[in-house]
Amino acid sequence: MKLLRKLKIDMLSQHAAATLQWPKIKEMLASCAKSSMGKEKAMALAPTEHLTLARALQEETLQAESILYRRGDNPMQPFEDIRSLMGRVRAGGVLSMEELLKLAQMLRACGQIAQGMQGHQDIAPNLTSQAAFLAPHRHLEQEISRCILSPEEMSDAASGELASIRRRIRQCNSNIREKLQSMIHSPSIQKCLQDALVTQRGGRYVLPVRQEYRASIPGMVHDQSASGATLYIEPMAVVQINNDLRELVMDERREMARILASLSAQVNEVVDDLAQNIETMSELDAIFARAELARSMDAVQPKLNDVGWINIVRGRHPLIDRAQVVPIDLWMGKDFTTLVVTGPNTGGKTVTLKTVGLFSIMAQSGLFVPAEAGTELCVFADIFADIGDEQSIEQSLSTFSAHMTNIVRILSQVSDRALVLLDELGAGTDPVEGAALAMAILEHLRALRVRTLATTHYSELKAYAMTTDGVQNASAEFDIATLRPTYRLSIGIPGSSNAFEISKRLGLEEALIARARALVSHEDRRFEEVISTAEQEKRAAAAERDQAQRAKLEAERLQAEARKARDAWINQRDKMLARAQEEAQRIVEEAQQESRALIAQMHQLLKEGAAVRPHQMQALQKQLRTQSEKLGERRVAAPKAQQAHQSVDILAVGQKVLLTKFNQKATVLALPNEAGEVQVQAGAMKMMVQKKDLAMVLGGGMPQPSAPQRRNVQINTRAISAELDIRGCRQDEGREKVDKYLDDAVLSGLTEVRIIHGKGTGALRAGMREYLRTHPLVQSVREGKYGEGDAGVSVVTLK
């Protein structure tokens, strides 16, 4: 990347930059930077003419934006500019406490940035690779922070010697104040003092003594009041202690200087790393500023080429309030290289020129552009602009002369890799000569295959664009009804000046307008009428196209929703059928297992001599075999049930039918179409189905298959207890246990059993007795008597 940056050149003149308001974009970019160095790089940003470098710059912005969206914030932290300190450190200079704190803050930010960039290698490999070379030197940053508390204060912990000196200084101060305080409270001295307080002069402790008592307090005079009535005297009793204090203060200064020199020496050891850090951090700051600007403008990454193609999709001028700007669609460079924009004043023609030029500069500088996806721009070698009133009073130039001077300069430097923007070409002079001159200039640029965008009012240029290959018309729309521009750009037809209509609505007399129309040649009037008609028809066609597009999108949305609902319904139906088949299979297999177990137990009873006659066992075996066969037939027939439906020959709207594929009833909404599809409604969903997939609904509705009855029958060779305890069970759990228990009790030959459900709230008792009264194996149910459990037991007599 650094090699590519060396290829960058200033391909944009100061005139074109100012005309297209490029400095204002850089100011917006600088406001997004976190540091003064980042702001400098933002203000120094310039477009490149190299496609490879422009794409690399765009990729940097894209990676930075990806990190912003993933993190939710900017990993960059504010940091100080320490470049001016590097030279002094290299020369062996000693940094001040304030300068060292700035350096520590930079190192702290460096560490935060390096950490914040970690984990984003997948979306930002280039930026994370740059951040990987940062050297935070955490130890140096911590050492500076440990030693220096503020720009004016060094910590006692900076060194053991400094802590010792300051401890002795505090002790000296305390001793001096104690001595002076004792003198102040002495009655003999108190009368000599102007005020009973201890103060300092020249860093030494003194007492304010009245002039007339000068001889009463021996010592050194350090100062006197303005009136001369008060002398500030250092008593002899504290002179030596003050001397000691002064020496300790000098020792403190020397130790602090030594510590600063030591820290500066440590900085000098890593000064090259620090210089690299500050350069890398400022570069990253500028890159993330580009991403921040892109987010604030809701901008997109444009596709870049070097073959002259421009395709702007709903582009918005970045310096116009987004609530007011009207997006434009503009393309050129493939089928035509010159675009001539016509239309009334204040119609947005100049804004269109500036938008195209500014988008090109931004894209070639690595900035995203405020447009929609699909926008493509060319990397030009030069961008020239002649826009606005160029009248120069200082140079005694008219507007026309100033424009022509600028155009002459452009024509002398232009190449086929240039973009030329010309506003009101040929204006400011005789219309006939101006139009001819404008056509000659456009023809020259077209011959060089220069991408040229020009605005004009001349009808001759409209006709030239309509009849010349490589040149295309465009119009800036104007609403005659409101006398306001729409700022929309229509490519393919020229724009009408609408001078007569505008004048009429502004109140100009009809007679004057009629006279003006008569003065215009028949050919010119006819040409303007054709243009106006074409413009109206194109606008109407665009409105109809937009309406059709909206209707198409709505139809596609409804179709997608219907398809989604149908798929969900089919999926649910398939799951229900699968579960039903699995349940049926499980019921059959359990019944077969129970049957085999029952027969085996009966054989065992016979072997043991139980009173079971052979014909009874044979009858039971036959009964169980019949039940198993019926269950098997139900299992086999279930999947084939759909084939037994009667097909439909005649249909009527409102008729009830059966969807054989879904085994679902539906209502006919419309008769079959040419493709044999019938519209039906099943539940809340409407659908088209083939007539062959419909069947008659017999008996007033779709027959409901009877649910297989499940009974868990397990015969135990051990004796069955005459009572069952279900206390603590829920209603459904209790019924399941009772149902199984009664089966076992009947097969075991019991005639009377007890169900222990407890008293409790009475809910289980009431529910269980109601269930027992309707049970097919129960003859009667009564409440337990005294000694049987009372109301907590139900005594059941079996059939």
Side-chain angles (χ1 to χ4, degrees), residues 164 211 327 347 369 640:
S164 175
Q211 175 67 37
V369 295
K640 300 180 180 179

Side-chain angles (χ1 to χ4, degrees), residues 85 88-89 93-100 103 260-261 264 267:
L85 308 180
R88 287 175 48 205
V89 170
V94 177
L95 301 179
S96 67
M97 289 191 290
E98 181 178 6
E99 291 169 336
L100 285 169
L103 192 143
L260 292 178
S264 299
V267 172

Side-chain angles (χ1 to χ4, degrees), residues 49 380-384 410-420 444-445 448-452:
E49 65 170 315
F380 294 104
D382 295 288
I383 298 176
F384 299 103
I410 292 173
L411 295 179
S412 66
Q413 302 175 14
V414 75
S415 68
D416 60 350
R417 288 196 58 209
L419 172 66
V420 176
H444 175 70
L445 294 173
L448 294 176
R449 294 195 59 78
V450 176
R451 271 56 183 177
T452 306

Side-chain angles (χ1 to χ4, degrees), residues 421-599:
L421 308 171
L422 303 173
D423 192 23
E424 298 298 344
L425 181 60
T429 187
D430 178 77
V432 176
E433 294 181 353
L437 196 59
M439 280 191 287
I441 293 172
L442 291 180
E443 183 64 23
H444 175 70
L445 294 173
R446 185 185 72 87
L448 294 176
R449 294 195 59 78
V450 176
R451 271 56 183 177
T452 306
L453 189 61
T455 67
T456 184
H457 282 292
Y458 293 141
S459 297
E460 292 85 350
L461 291 184
K462 302 175 188 178
Y464 167 75
M466 294 179 67
T467 58
T468 305
D469 291 338
V471 185
Q472 183 62 273
N473 270 306
S475 60
E477 294 181 0
F478 190 88
D479 191 340
I480 298 298
T482 62
L483 295 182
R484 295 178 62 87
T486 66
Y487 298 104
R488 296 189 182 92
L489 187 70
S490 298
I491 295 179
I493 60 173
S496 175
S497 63
N498 297 307
F500 294 150
E501 291 295 333
I502 293 174
S503 300
K504 179 180 178 180
R505 291 192 174 272
L506 290 176
L508 189 64
E509 294 182 9
E510 183 65 34
L512 294 177
I513 295 175
R515 178 56 180 162
R517 291 183 187 274
L519 293 175
V520 177
S521 67
H522 175 74
E523 291 78 8
D524 289 342
R525 287 202 308 271
R526 180 60 181 162
F527 184 69
E528 288 294 328
E529 290 173 0
V530 170
I531 290 175
S532 180
T533 302
E535 189 174 358
Q536 293 175 6
E537 291 179 352
K538 181 173 183 179
R539 193 175 301 142
E544 293 177 358
R545 184 175 64 252
D546 291 342
Q547 183 177 2
Q549 181 67 17
R550 288 193 297 270
K552 178 184 177 183
L553 293 175
E554 179 66 14
E556 291 176 350
R557 184 185 66 80
L558 293 174
Q559 185 179 13
E561 289 180 357
R563 188 182 298 110
K564 183 178 179 181
R566 183 197 64 186
D567 293 343
W569 184 70
I570 293 175
N571 185 50
Q572 182 180 7
R573 185 265 322 214
D574 292 343
K575 288 182 178 179
M576 292 177 64
L577 287 176
R579 285 197 298 268
Q581 291 178 359
E582 291 175 359
E583 180 68 12
Q585 177 70 17
R586 186 176 59 81
I587 290 173
V588 171
E589 291 176 353
E590 288 181 357
Q592 290 175 342
Q593 292 176 1
E594 291 169 359
S595 299
R596 288 192 295 268
L598 181 59
I599 293 171

Side-chain angles (χ1 to χ4, degrees), residues 24-33 42 45 286 289-290 293 367:
K24 291 187 177 181
I25 298 297
K26 292 195 289 186
E27 289 175 5
M28 294 173 60
L29 177 63
S31 67
C32 297
L45 187 64
R290 302 205 302 261
L293 181 63
L367 298 179

Side-chain angles (χ1 to χ4, degrees), residues 625-690:
R625 190 180 302 109
T626 301
Q627 179 185 7
S628 177
E629 289 175 355
K630 288 181 178 179
L631 286 174
E633 290 171 359
R634 181 184 299 173
R635 179 188 61 191
V636 173
K640 300 180 180 179
Q642 297 177 357
Q643 301 175 2
H645 300 305
Q646 183 177 351
S647 60
V648 179
D649 294 328
I650 302 176
L651 287 174
V653 176
Q655 180 180 352
K656 299 294 183 181
V657 293
L658 181 67
L659 304 177
T660 57
K661 287 187 176 180
F662 307 138
N663 201 27
Q664 175 74 23
K665 288 191 295 184
T667 303
V668 176
L669 298 180
L671 297 180
N673 57 20
E674 296 179 356
E677 294 178 333
V678 183
Q679 185 181 24
V680 299
Q681 180 170 354
M685 186 173 66
K686 298 178 181 180
M687 64 181 75
M688 299 296 292
V689 297
Q690 292 290 331

Side-chain angles (χ1 to χ4, degrees), residues 365-427:
S365 302
L367 298 179
F368 288 4
V369 295
E372 298 294 334
T375 295
E376 183 172 3
L377 297 167
C378 174
V379 175
F380 294 104
D382 295 288
I383 298 176
F384 299 103
D386 179 64
I387 299 174
D389 188 357
E390 298 291 342
Q391 186 175 23
S392 175
I393 297 176
E394 293 82 359
Q395 298 180 19
S396 300
L397 295 176
S398 66
T399 299
F400 176 76
S401 299
H403 276 293
M404 288 310 302
T405 300
N406 196 24
I407 291 174
V408 168
R409 179 184 60 83
I410 292 173
L411 295 179
S412 66
Q413 302 175 14
V414 75
S415 68
D416 60 350
R417 288 196 58 209
L419 172 66
V420 176
L421 308 171
L422 303 173
D423 192 23
E424 298 298 344
L425 181 60

